[in-house]
Amino acid sequence: MTGYYSRHRDSAQEAAERTGTRQFASLEALVRASDAIFLTVPDGAISAVYEKLRQFDLTGKQLCHCSGAISAQEAFPGAEELGAELYSIHPLFPVSDKYVAWRELTGAFFCIEGVGTHLDWWAETLAGLGAQVRRLPSEGKARYHAACTVASNLMCALAQVSVDLLGSCGFSQPEALAALAPLMRANLDHILHDGPQTALTGPVERGDASTVARHLACLPEERTRRLYAAASGLLVDLAQKKHPETDYQPVKTLLEEGSST
């Protein structure tokens, strides 16, 4: 590793000190010193940084970004004509704290794609560090990232709805999270071990229309009712596969009405 460049010199200096590398005073200096250049910027900033990189000699350089949703060719159009290789290397992991997350990366999935002779090298290097590596087709990046977002980020929204509802019953947020923790952990373990269909329990799975109606009636906001109805509608599909003999039409009717209010 050569080091870091950032418009915010303090952050680059801190990163360099923590990794025993150097802070570069200019982007050009970093490019000259490096074989592979990682753009660890928000998705919306990748194009702007790439346009700056195009000013320099990129012959033989590897341009890499860490976006889950954008392919390497989308991020670096025309880079091959400049003599560069281009890759996307995305950790399928919630990096919420730069000081802690790196310790938890062992065993995480890294999904990679791109154009160049080093794709095998990146896969082998990441695997050698303990990661699990999967190559993605370039055209599948948006679907792949949507899957990650549903499984990770949308869980935060669902958890907040639960915390808010318990808050209206007198729970503080710490109490609500403590109460929900055994439920959420057990359910997630069951989902990951047996699959969503087998793990499904609750009023939708039982075809309990009266309880579903009570839930819809007590939800305070329209968007929360729509969320409940839309997610529960997908649960009906799972439940019907699990119990094909059960009539779920009463529940489906309630949910369709709930999603349109």
Side-chain angles (χ1 to χ4, degrees):
M1 178 184 290
T2 53
Y4 298 83
Y5 168 78
S6 174
R7 292 179 303 165
H8 308 288
R9 299 191 62 178
D10 289 346
S11 64
Q13 182 62 41
E14 180 186 19
E17 290 174 356
R18 291 179 65 86
T19 55
T21 59
R22 56 181 288 206
Q23 174 201 359
F24 288 89
S26 70
L27 185 57
E28 183 178 10
L30 181 141
V31 171
R32 287 179 176 175
S34 306
D35 296 319
I37 300 115
F38 272 80
L39 278 66
T40 55
V41 298
D43 288 13
I46 292 175
S47 294
V49 177
Y50 173 54
E51 286 304 311
K52 293 181 180 179
L53 289 172
R54 288 174 62 94
Q55 302 171 29
F56 313 123
D57 182 7
L58 298 178
T59 304
K61 304 295 184 180
Q62 300 175 52
L63 302 182
C64 309
H65 71 74
C66 299
S67 167
I70 305 172
S71 72
Q73 288 182 306
E74 288 176 310
F76 307 125
E80 293 171 86
E81 288 75 13
L82 299 174
E85 299 181 6
L86 43 153
Y87 305 101
S88 69
I89 301 174
H90 180 252
L92 209 170
F93 191 83
V95 182
S96 57
D97 187 329
K98 64 183 179 181
Y99 299 110
V100 175
W102 63 272
R103 300 173 184 165
E104 304 169 337
L105 281 172
T106 300
F109 263 86
F110 278 74
C111 291
I112 66 175
E113 62 85 32
V115 179
T117 61
H118 286 83
L119 201 58
D120 287 340
W121 184 88
W122 281 113
E124 292 167 3
T125 299
L126 290 166
L129 294 173
Q132 303 181 69
V133 183
R134 181 66 177 262
R135 295 190 190 182
L136 292 175
S138 298
E139 65 274 11
K141 284 296 295 285
R143 293 192 301 274
Y144 153 77
H145 196 247
C148 299
T149 298
V150 169
S152 180
N153 305 141
L154 296 194
M155 287 289 292
C156 296
L158 296 174
Q160 188 62 56
V161 169
S162 293
V163 168
D164 290 344
L165 288 169
L166 287 180
S168 69
C169 299
F171 286 71
S172 67
Q173 177 165 304
E175 291 171 339
L177 292 172
L180 292 168
L183 174 67
M184 295 176 69
R185 289 195 180 105
N187 197 47
L188 181 58
D189 286 345
H190 198 186
I191 290 170
L192 296 177
H193 186 268
D194 300 314
Q197 181 177 309
T198 300
L200 179 60
T201 62
V204 171
E205 189 252 355
R206 296 192 299 270
D208 185 351
S210 63
T211 297
V212 171
R214 286 176 177 271
H215 289 172
L216 289 167
C218 79
L219 295 175
E221 296 183 355
E222 179 181 339
R223 64 177 182 173
T224 306
R225 289 194 297 276
R226 288 176 180 266
L227 174 65
Y228 179 97
S232 296
L234 296 176
L235 295 184
V236 170
D237 295 340
L238 287 179
Q240 287 183 318
K241 293 175 182 177
K242 188 174 182 179
H243 305 294
E245 74 288 350
T246 301
D247 178 14
Y248 287 98
Q249 190 55 50
V251 173
K252 291 178 69 173
T253 300
L254 280 170
L255 294 173
E256 288 167 0
E257 293 172 352
S259 64
S260 62
T261 56

